[in-house]
Amino acid sequence: MLLKSNILMLNLFAANVGASFALTVEKIGMTLLNVRYNCNRYNEDDAKAARDAQERSRAALQRYLFYCNRYMNHMQSLRFEHKLYAQVKQKMEEMQQHNMSWIEVQFLKKAVDVLCQCRATLMYTYVFAFYLKKNNQSIIFENNQADLENATEVLSGYLERDISQDSLQDIKQKVQDKYRYCESRRRVLLQHVHEGYEKDLWEYIED
């Protein structure tokens, strides 16, 4: 129940991600348009204000693109990994031909389940992080995010490997260890988000 509530919290941030990002870009453009110059006299203060506004707008756009790109990358990966179920089913059948029972090969399906959950969580964490002000809690959040992200990529790589008789037991152990670690790190990240709401630890960037 705790994890579901945390996912719901992140989903609420993600619900208007497109509109929020579009509004950010619009504000960047409006900042540049609102810079005023004297018609017949060069004004150093106005010129400096224009340069400063342009630099702030550039930094805001770069920040927006950073979070938007990572959101979209995880969304694309999630779509791809939903297709992994068909590939995993074939691998499970191959493994049963290598003297493994149906129950013994279920770890592969479990791994894909965990992988998709982690992708969805990571996708929404970038929306959440976009609105966070930098403080000690946001740094902890980003560290948890990075740890889960790295583990998720490793797990994805394991599942895309070819399985042979020689590598069967080795890859099984690696996959099981990694998806359990991913589950653990995802739980830690979401619990920290929940704790931040309960204790009012999160500070947000105002529009």
Side-chain angles (χ1 to χ4, degrees), residues 3-4 13 26 34 43 49 51 62 70 77-78 84 122 124 128-129 139 143 150 169:
L3 295 182
K4 288 183 179 180
F13 278 94
E26 181 181 353
N34 287 333
N43 186 305
R51 290 193 298 269
Q62 289 174 345
R70 279 153 182 78
S77 294
L78 181 60
L84 269 181
L122 286 166
Y124 294 133
F128 184 67
I139 292 173
N143 289 339
N150 290 336
Q169 290 301 323

Side-chain angles (χ1 to χ4, degrees), residues 5 11 41 51-52 56 78 82-83 91 99 102 107 113 115 130 147 150 159 167 171 176 178:
S5 65
N11 284 350
R41 182 181 302 168
R51 290 193 298 269
D52 291 345
R56 287 194 301 271
L78 181 60
H82 275 304
K83 299 177 182 178
K91 287 184 179 182
N99 299 320
W102 182 86
F107 76 93
D113 290 341
L115 182 62
F130 178 78
D147 195 6
N150 290 336
L159 291 173
S167 66
I171 193 65
Q176 287 179 318
K178 190 56 65 175

Side-chain angles (χ1 to χ4, degrees), residues 144-159:
N144 288 334
Q145 181 190 49
D147 195 6
L148 176 60
E149 193 163 39
N150 290 336
T152 298
E153 296 301 338
V154 173
L155 178 59
S156 179
Y158 286 162
L159 291 173

Side-chain angles (χ1 to χ4, degrees), residues 152-198:
T152 298
E153 296 301 338
V154 173
L155 178 59
S156 179
Y158 286 162
L159 291 173
E160 293 172 9
R161 283 177 52 182
D162 290 332
I163 297 175
S164 65
Q165 180 66 44
D166 294 336
S167 66
L168 193 56
Q169 290 301 323
D170 178 57
I171 193 65
K172 178 180 179 180
Q173 189 62 53
K174 286 183 177 180
V175 168
Q176 287 179 318
D177 289 345
K178 190 56 65 175
Y179 81 62
R180 288 165 183 161
Y181 182 78
C182 286
E183 281 186 310
S184 172
R185 297 311 303 170
R186 178 173 175 266
R187 190 178 303 112
V188 167
L189 186 150
L190 292 175
Q191 286 174 343
H192 181 229
V193 172
H194 185 78
E195 179 185 12
Y197 281 117
E198 283 190 331

